[in-house]
């Protein structure tokens, strides 16, 4: 029977210059599940995503994506396998990472042409469809600097989705936005969660994590302190460290 686990992380370790950033992180993500990772700045949240997306090299542990081994006990799979595994996971950065000299349409279509070898006309059609879903049909000829931060982030989400990943990861997708634009992006992510897109979201938006996620992980100091049902973890945390972290959000 085919497993419904899309991402499996076991005893993930990462150190930088002798400093342990991740100290043995383990979790599974099931198909259609939305997982939020919360925790203080510097706790290792974004590092987990960067390890999943091959932007950082792990120091130890095992990662499987859709049943394929990215790294096992600290040993990476052959390069050709890594490339194929990489196509199964899409990353939305906090700072958009759009090409300033490309139009909105080109920013979404070009990765399809270059990465997946989709013919240009077909790639542009796919790009237009995803941009329409992001309510950006009237912006296809614009350039990133002509867009608001929220619009740029919606282009970045369209770009990631156009590549048809099995799992989508968001690295603090609202942290670079003004407060009034934050709700715009959170609504997009909520809609994706409602459509059962498999997602991992690193976020400081506690209400979003509580109301939209299927599960929440609280991480601090490179370890998972508490995880489980979002309402239980955020409204009634069991661990003192979780209570202390969430207290400052309830005081806002």
């Amino acid at each position: 029977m085919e497993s419904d686990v899309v991402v499996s992380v076991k005893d993930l370790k990462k150190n930088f210059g002798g400093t342990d950033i991740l100290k043995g992180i383990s979790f599974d993500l099931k198909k259609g599940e939305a997982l939020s990772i919360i925790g203080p700045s510097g706790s290792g949240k974004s590092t987990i995503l960067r390890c999943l997306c091959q932007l950082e090299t792990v120091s130890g542990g095992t990662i499987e994506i859709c049943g394929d081994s990215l790294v096992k006990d600290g040993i990476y799979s052959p390069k050709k396998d890594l490339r194929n595994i990489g196509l199964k996971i899409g990353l939305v950065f906090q700072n958009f990472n759009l090409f300033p000299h490309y139009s909105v349409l080109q920013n979404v279509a070009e990765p399809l042409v270059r990465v997946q070898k989709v013919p240009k006309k077909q790639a542009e059609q796919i790009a237009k469809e995803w941009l329409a879903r992001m309510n950006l049909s009237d912006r296809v000829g614009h350039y990133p600097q002509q867009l608001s931060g929220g619009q740029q982030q919606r282009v970045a989400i369209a770009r990631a989705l156009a590549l048809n990943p099995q799992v989508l990861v968001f690295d603090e997708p609202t942290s670079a936005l003004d407060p009034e634009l934050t709700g715009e992006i959170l609504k997009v992510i909520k809609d994706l969660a409602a459509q059962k897109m498999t997602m991992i979201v690193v976020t400081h938006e506690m209400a979003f994590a509580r109301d939209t996620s299927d599960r929440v992980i609280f991480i601090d100091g490179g370890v998972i302190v508490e995880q489980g049902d979002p309402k239980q973890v955020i409204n009634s945390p069991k661990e003192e460290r979780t209570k202390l972290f969430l207290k400052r959000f309830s005081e806002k």
Side-chain angles (χ1 to χ4, degrees), residues 59 75-76 88 107 172 182 198 209:
S59 304
I75 308 297
Y76 276 87
K88 295 178 180 179
N107 263 288
E172 298 187 21
T182 293
T198 310

Side-chain angles (χ1 to χ4, degrees), residues 4-239:
D4 62 349
V5 173
V6 180
V7 177
S8 177
V9 176
K10 292 186 176 67
D11 199 27
L12 178 62
K13 296 183 176 75
K14 175 64 183 176
N15 53 58
F16 290 104
T19 302
D20 293 328
I21 305 299
L22 301 177
K23 303 172 184 176
I25 298 287
S26 298
F27 67 89
D28 286 341
L29 177 73
K30 292 182 178 178
K31 185 175 176 62
E33 189 176 29
L35 169 70
S36 285
I37 303 178
I38 62 172
S41 296
S43 59
K45 306 183 302 295
S46 294
T47 303
I48 295 171
L49 300 190
R50 292 178 67 82
C51 289
L52 291 176
C53 297
Q54 303 180 47
L55 297 174
E56 297 286 358
T57 306
V58 311
S59 304
T62 296
I63 299 173
E64 287 185 359
I65 311 267
C66 301
D68 295 323
S69 178
L70 175 68
V71 55
K72 186 170 184 179
D73 299 326
I75 308 297
Y76 276 87
S77 293
K79 269 192 175 177
K80 63 176 174 56
D81 295 338
L82 295 183
R83 184 185 179 281
N84 290 333
I85 293 167
L87 294 174
K88 295 178 180 179
I89 190 160
L91 172 62
V92 178
F93 296 90
Q94 55 182 292
N95 292 317
F96 325 134
N97 282 33
L98 301 177
F99 293 109
H101 58 291
Y102 280 2
S103 69
V104 165
L105 183 64
Q106 287 173 307
N107 263 288
V108 180
E110 196 63 23
L112 284 162
V113 175
R114 294 195 179 199
V115 177
Q116 296 187 350
K117 310 303 179 193
V118 176
K120 187 179 177 184
K121 270 197 168 178
Q122 186 184 342
E124 288 182 348
Q125 186 55 43
I126 293 168
K128 285 175 182 174
E129 287 168 9
W130 278 109
L131 288 165
R133 289 180 68 171
M134 295 292 141
N135 294 317
L136 290 167
S137 291
D138 58 341
R139 295 288 188 271
V140 292
H142 286 58
Y143 287 82
Q145 66 269 25
Q146 297 173 299
L147 306 180
S148 71
Q151 289 169 335
Q152 289 186 60
Q153 191 61 296
R154 280 187 280 145
V155 174
I157 295 169
R159 176 180 60 187
L161 287 166
L163 291 165
N164 196 29
Q166 299 300 302
V167 58
L168 195 57
V169 299
F170 293 87
D171 186 7
E172 298 187 21
T174 60
S175 67
L177 300 176
D178 294 333
E180 63 266 27
L181 296 175
T182 293
E184 176 187 322
I185 296 307
L186 293 180
K187 183 184 183 304
V188 171
I189 302 172
K190 282 180 182 177
D191 289 346
L192 290 171
Q195 294 160 27
K196 292 299 177 186
M197 179 76 202
T198 310
M199 298 189 294
I200 304 174
V201 185
V202 165
T203 184
H204 287 296
E205 301 290 336
M206 296 304 126
F208 165 82
R210 180 193 62 212
D211 298 338
T212 305
S213 311
D214 296 297
R215 197 154 44 93
V216 165
I217 289 175
F218 170 62
I219 182 172
D220 187 31
V223 298
I224 292 175
V225 176
E226 190 166 350
Q227 64 176 310
D229 176 78
K231 288 180 175 58
Q232 179 267 305
V233 172
I234 291 174
N235 291 346
S236 309
K238 294 173 182 173
E239 301 295 329

